[in-house]
Amino acid sequence: MTFFDVFDILGTIAFAISGALSAMNRKLDLFGVFIIAFVTAIGGGTIRDILIGNTPVSWMQNTTNLYLISSVTVLSIIFRDKLDYLKKSLFLFDTIGLGIFTIIGVETGIQAKLDPIVCIALGTMTGCFGGVIRDTLCNEIPIIFRKEIYATASIAGGICFMALYSYNTNQNIMYISTTLFIIAIRLAVVRYRVSLPLLTPKN
């Protein structure tokens, strides 16, 4: 198992928990919790694979992820009372998932020999679009369309990854440092309440 595979597993776990917590926070039934967990964990990767012509998409080729998501969702349901402060837990796992999946998307673009800007775009889609589907199904405005810095952190992480890659940095160091960089941005902007300006119509 490569370091890339380990990151893929960790990202899947983080986003599955994020989806399950979001669904339980919205008081969805058992079926709803499983669906939201699945689309959060595989949504961004599915869109990425379709865009680059990698079909059947990754989770169809490797059904281990389906069993992993199912197991994580069951555990999230069982231990939901142990996950105090659901909103804080949701933020934490969503942030971890964003960091890891952004890197996976960028790396996938590099392996496909795509232009650096396209690799960064793929990373942003992989990291953000599962959350977009999750929020949409939970009847919320997706977080990337609100003032909170989310996709911007993913883009910054993608740029950081490409910069390190251009200098032939050790792969494991690139994965860890870039993921921590994205997580640090998310934690900092929430801690200091930094946000993008809201655009409203002029009266």
Side-chain angles (χ1 to χ4, degrees):
M1 179 179 290
T2 66
F3 204 72
F4 184 83
D5 295 327
V6 173
F7 255 52
D8 190 22
I9 290 171
L10 292 175
T12 300
I13 291 173
F15 264 157
I17 295 174
S18 168
L21 290 175
S22 182
M24 287 187 283
N25 195 38
R26 298 290 293 180
K27 296 181 171 55
L28 301 187
D29 63 16
L30 184 62
F31 180 74
V33 172
F34 272 90
I35 291 298
I36 299 302
F38 271 91
V39 299
T40 306
I42 66 176
T46 298
I47 293 173
R48 175 202 65 220
D49 288 346
I50 291 173
L51 286 175
I52 65 175
N54 181 27
T55 55
V57 295
S58 56
W59 61 268
M60 291 182 176
Q61 297 183 53
N62 181 15
T63 55
T64 301
N65 275 348
L66 299 182
Y67 298 117
L68 177 63
I69 296 169
S70 298
S71 301
V72 169
T73 303
V74 170
L75 291 174
S76 298
I77 293 171
I78 293 174
F79 295 106
R80 63 186 181 279
D81 293 334
K82 302 294 183 182
L83 294 170
D84 295 329
Y85 310 109
L86 281 183
K87 287 187 177 180
K88 289 184 178 179
S89 298
L90 173 59
F91 169 79
L92 176 62
F93 287 108
D94 191 53
T95 297
I96 293 172
L98 174 67
I100 293 175
F101 271 27
T102 295
I103 302 318
I104 291 174
V106 175
E107 177 69 14
T108 302
I110 291 173
Q111 292 175 0
K113 299 183 177 1
L114 299 176
D115 188 84
I117 194 168
V118 177
C119 294
I120 294 170
L122 282 178
T124 304
M125 292 177 190
T126 307
C128 298
F129 277 33
V132 170
I133 299 172
R134 175 199 64 208
D135 293 343
T136 301
L137 292 178
C138 288
N139 199 30
E140 296 179 357
I141 298 175
I143 193 171
I144 69 169
F145 300 140
R146 288 179 266 166
K147 65 178 182 178
E148 190 172 328
I149 292 177
Y150 190 84
T152 308
S154 180
I155 294 170
I159 294 172
C160 176
F161 188 93
M162 291 304 305
L164 292 173
Y165 178 80
S166 67
Y167 285 101
N168 297 315
T169 308
N170 177 273
Q171 191 177 57
N172 294 348
I173 293 176
M174 285 194 301
Y175 289 164
I176 295 174
S177 59
T178 307
T179 300
L180 291 177
F181 177 62
I182 294 172
I183 293 173
I185 291 176
R186 287 283 292 142
L187 293 175
V189 297
V190 170
R191 172 66 178 82
Y192 297 104
R193 298 180 181 179
V194 179
S195 62
L196 297 175
L198 294 176
L199 299 178
T200 56
K202 294 182 179 179
N203 295 326

